[in-house]
Each structure stands twice: as C-alpha cells, then as structure tokens.
Amino acid sequence: MGDPPALKRPKLEKDDYDSTNWPRPSSNGAASGAPPRDEDEDEDEDEDISEEAVVALVAHRERDVERCKVKLLHYQSLLDTAEMKLSEAQSRLARFRDRKPPPTQREPVQSTPPNQRDPKPSPPPPTQWEPKRPVPPNQRDLKPSLPPPPPPPEKKPPAPALQQAARPQLVIPGANSRPAPRPEPMPGLKKAAAPSSSSSLAPPERSRKEEKKPKRKIEPKEHQNLIPSVKKSSATVLKFQGGNLVSSQHKRKLRCLELCPANDQLVVTSALDGLVTLWQVEPRGPSVSFRGKTDCFSPKHRWPEDIAWHPDGETIFAVYTADNGDSQVSMTNLISGQRKVTFLPEKPHTKGIINNISFMPWSDACFVTGGSDHAVILWEEKDDSWKPKRVHKDFHSSAVMGVAGLQQKNIILSVGCDKRIVGFDLFAGRAEFKNLIDYKCMSVLANPCDFNLYMVQTGAPGRQLRLFDIRLRQTEVHAFGWKQESSESQSALINQSWSPDGWYVSSGSADPMIHIFDIRYHGQNPCQSVQAHHKRVFKAVWHQTSPYLTSISSDLNIGIHKYS
C-alpha cells in the first residue's frame, strides 16, 4: 500500500507576502509555515515551524497597525489644517458681509406695508403668476365693499420675486441672490464672532479689543490698629479637630500652595514634576477633591519656582529661571476647559532663578518678581499684554528672595539673602527706607488687617519670624520662632501665612509639624503645634471664609485641618 497523497498548501493572503519577515514558499513547494505534508513526519519539528510562521504573521500585523496609525495622524493633521482654513474663510466672509450692504436695499422701500395703507382691505390685484378667481353669477352685481376672503396661504404658488417686492423692511437678500448658509465649524475650533447687521461696520478683531475688561475694583478693607495688642496678653489656643491627608498626585516634591483670592474653596499646588494641580475644598470631612492638572514645564523643561493667582481668580502666573534663555513668566487659565499655558515673551531678569512672584494689592492689576540677579521687576498690563519695568537692581547685593506690596501706599517691599529689607516708593522713584538685620531673609508678608505691619521670615534658629512696623523703620516689633529637632538650618521652601483676622501666623517646619503663633502673645515660642504630616511641612495656609488650614509636605500629601 503506497503513501497517502501530500496535502495541498493553503493559500495565503497577498498582503502576507509583502513583508520581508514572511517566508515565501520555495520552488519545491516547501514553506516554513506550511501544514504537515505527511502524518509520519516529526511532530516537534512541525510545531517549531508553525510557531515561526505565527511569529512572522504577528510581526506583519504589528507593522500594519503602526502604518495605519501613522496615516491616521497624517490625515488628522490635514483635517485640522483644513478646519482652521475653513474657519478663517468663514470669518472673512462674515466681515465682508458686514461691510457690504445687501444689494436689495437699493430698491425703493415702501414706508408702510400694503395691508396697513388702507383702512379697508381690498382684494389683491391679479398677477401674472396668479389666475383670476372665477366670480359666481350671484355676486357680479354686488358692490365691492365686502371683498371675498383671501385664499389660504398654503394654496398660493411660490413667487420669490414678487414676495421680495412686497416686503417693506428687507434686511437680507432674496432667495435668488442669497448665498448658501455658512456651515458651522468643526468641534474644537474657535467660532468666528460675526457682528450683527445693526452694529457698526468694524471688523471682529477691533470689536474684541474694544471690549476691554473693566478696571478691577478692590473692596476697601478697613484698617485695624493691632499694634497696641502686640505682646500684651497670653496666647489664644485654637481647637483643632483632626485633619485628613489626600494624595497630591504629584510624583516629585511639592513646591507651592496657593488659595484662589476670588474663591478660597479652590486650591492649586505645584511640584518639581512641572504640574500645576487644581483642587476643590469639600466641606464634608473636610477634604479636597481633584479638579485637573496642567503641564507647566518651561520650554527648557524647568518647573515653576513660584506661582501666584491673578486677583480675578481665573489665571495662574508662574516664574521660572533666567538662565539659558528660558521663558521667565507663564500664565495659565485653570478655570476654562482649555488650560493652555502661555509664556510671556519679555525676559527682564538677566540670570539665575526667579524666586518669588506676588500681585500688588492695588486697583491696577500688576505683579512683582524678585530674582537671583538682585533685581525687582514690576509687570503691568498694557494693551492686553504684560510689560516689565525694572524697579531697582542696586539695593540688594545678593538674591532677592521675597517681594510684597503695602496696601495704603504704593510701596514695594523686598528682602534678600544679603540680610536687607528695602521699601521702595514707586511714586517718588526712590527707596523709602532700608533695614539691615542679623540673618538672611527668606520671605516677606504684609498683614491683611493692619496695613502698617509686615512679617519677615529669617534663617535665625528660634527667631525665624520678625514683625515690623512701617512707621518705625528699623525697629523690630516682635520676634518668635521654634527649634527644629531634625535640622538646624532653615529652608527657604518653608513659608508662612497670615490668618484672615491678622492675629495668627502659621508656619511649616523641618519637623512634621504646623507651628501657630499669636502676635498678642508675649512669648517667642509657638502658642501651639499641630501634628499634620509624616515628613517636613512646607506651608499651611488659612482659608478666608472657612475654619480650615490646608498644608503641603514632603510626604506628597495635601492636608486639610479643621479648627474652631
């Protein structure tokens, strides 16, 4: 009995032979991926050959998928470009229509409609397109005082030309000369704002420029004289009811924490991973919920060194570094859905890190930056752009670490590592006062209630916080601080915050504690310390309308603590 006939090789797809990794069949009919030709052949060898064929097929399919992805990206780019051009053309058409009056307006326009000209309606005259209605014999001899009722409108044949002539107030062209309606742009593109026909003939760009935001109105705060109570009584201890820790969703060390000035239920954090994250304070718990994050890395891949809210509460401003020609200031609208980062083109700082950014408490929206180049720069908004102006550069001999503004006067406070405190009067264009203390300065904060008080953070162990009065110049009103167990050095990343009533100061620490000071307390130690995190605390800020403290720490958590 002879051997059974060899099985036929199955047909492969044409595309399978296009790949160089797919083995083609040889001339004798053998192929690496062919099925077994004889039942007596070795099964192990057949399994190895089949596996190679499947691996080659998988590699071929993977290349097909990658090729289709590349084509998809290419055509998506073409689609985005085409949509953008379509939007521009639609905007041009809208402006052209607004400038050019409709051609039908040249025709004589009747002052009143025909149905309002005569008190007694008369039957409409016969037209070329409407045949005369037959009159019944019994109505031929009647007087035409009571005309027959007009025919129903649904039975009238369409008459575009005569309908245009009968309309007295014509705003748009007729049906014959009217172009096709503009299609709506694709989702994701900005719609061109076409002005109405009753408005002026200015283009949309000009109208947008004319719609400037009104000048910011700051609610006047009542000045409170807190000086007589400083160091005159015992401390008032707050009752904390525990706190909750929430993961910050940052992968690297946290750097900044800021509350929204218009809505203190919104909180932003920034870290060395370049992300700025928006949070919503939840009253239950209390806790914070994630609202979104934005990549705010600079063009040279630098994280934000410091951030600040615009007083309107919609935009976040961040500062970077002046080295390597990097962008120095960016602004990001976190409230809108786009969250686009815009980098300001001006670069007034000459070198080093920009350490601090602070908005001034004045009616005109402006902010001040201080950097390692010893300079203090004022940024003012002019013609929808931010323009920098150097305030001074020669008053500090080292890096400027903190800047702030006084509310009752246009005076900019600046402190630096050279142990100097400078108050510069913008109106006079000169330094109002200079003060030299015994330790380097890290930051400066103005009191929210007493406009004459401001606090300076220093690197002195046990006397980190110094309270000054603008009227006493070089005289120190009060000093207080704490002793750190984990480290003796004071980090510039640890910052302070004023309570809304101006009596309390909260500060982070190299220890996992939040220290709270009462300026009415005659002692220099904290009136209380709150166990808040597992590692060092950078900052703890007070909410303006809720009894909460929000803090950030090296443990990559955000803490929210309720007190009474």
Side-chain angles (χ1 to χ4, degrees), residues 36 115 121 197 307 337 367 402 456 534:
N115 54 358
S197 59
I307 59 177
F367 63 91
V456 177
H534 307 298

Side-chain angles (χ1 to χ4, degrees), residues 221-474:
K221 295 182 179 180
E222 183 180 356
H223 170 75
Q224 300 179 19
N225 188 14
L226 306 182
I227 292 293
S229 301
V230 174
K231 300 174 61 175
K232 302 297 183 182
S233 62
S234 60
T236 303
V237 179
L238 302 176
K239 296 181 180 179
F240 280 85
Q241 305 173 8
N244 294 328
L245 298 181
V246 179
S247 175
S248 65
Q249 302 192 15
H250 290 283
K251 297 180 180 179
R252 298 188 62 187
K253 182 172 60 178
L254 289 163
R255 177 59 62 90
C256 302
L257 169 68
E258 296 294 334
L259 298 184
C260 178
N263 179 12
D264 66 346
Q265 304 305 306
L266 296 179
V267 186
V268 290
T269 58
S270 69
L272 300 185
D273 56 6
L275 298 177
V276 174
T277 307
L278 180 65
W279 302 88
Q280 173 78 40
V281 177
E282 302 293 343
R284 293 185 179 180
S287 182
V288 291
S289 59
F290 176 75
R291 288 284 301 273
K293 57 185 177 181
T294 306
D295 187 352
C296 293
F297 265 121
S298 68
K300 300 293 184 180
H301 209 66
R302 183 76 180 183
W303 57 79
E305 296 290 344
D306 192 24
I307 59 177
W309 280 93
H310 190 282
D312 294 339
E314 296 181 355
T315 310
I316 284 289
F317 284 72
V319 291
Y320 301 88
T321 177
D323 294 334
N324 301 324
D326 200 0
S327 296
Q328 299 183 7
V329 181
S330 71
M331 55 183 183
T332 308
N333 193 325
L334 295 181
I335 306 302
S336 66
Q338 295 181 354
R339 295 179 181 172
K340 182 180 179 181
V341 181
T342 303
F343 293 93
L344 303 186
E346 289 77 8
K347 302 176 182 180
H349 289 277
T350 57
K351 64 177 180 179
I353 296 174
I354 304 173
N355 298 302
N356 190 222
I357 176 174
S358 177
F359 274 86
M360 300 294 101
W362 307 327
S363 58
D364 295 329
C366 60
F367 63 91
V368 176
T369 57
S372 299
D373 58 349
H374 314 169
V376 174
I377 305 296
L378 174 66
W379 299 72
E380 297 177 303
E381 189 175 13
K382 297 180 180 179
D383 300 329
D384 298 333
S385 62
W386 292 90
K387 301 298 182 182
K389 175 185 176 183
R390 180 183 296 176
V391 178
H392 59 79
K393 189 179 181 181
D394 302 326
F395 294 150
H396 289 280
S397 58
S398 186
V400 176
M401 301 301 296
V403 290
L406 296 181
Q407 187 159 355
Q408 80 278 22
K409 297 181 180 179
N410 282 30
I411 292 181
I412 298 176
L413 300 174
S414 60
V415 297
C417 292
D418 56 358
K419 309 177 184 178
R420 294 179 181 175
I421 305 172
V422 178
F424 190 88
D425 192 340
L426 283 180
F427 285 160
R430 58 179 175 82
E432 182 74 13
F433 67 90
K434 299 178 184 178
N435 191 5
L436 182 65
I437 62 176
D438 54 349
Y439 272 89
K440 60 181 179 180
C441 304
M442 303 297 184
S443 65
V444 57
L445 288 175
N447 189 284
C449 296
D450 193 329
F451 302 152
N452 297 315
L453 290 178
Y454 65 93
M455 180 186 59
V456 177
Q457 174 199 353
T458 69
R463 299 180 73 245
Q464 287 91 342
L465 303 180
R466 313 289 183 89
L467 190 64
F468 291 93
D469 189 341
I470 191 70
R471 299 166 294 184
L472 301 179
R473 308 294 178 168
Q474 287 83 12

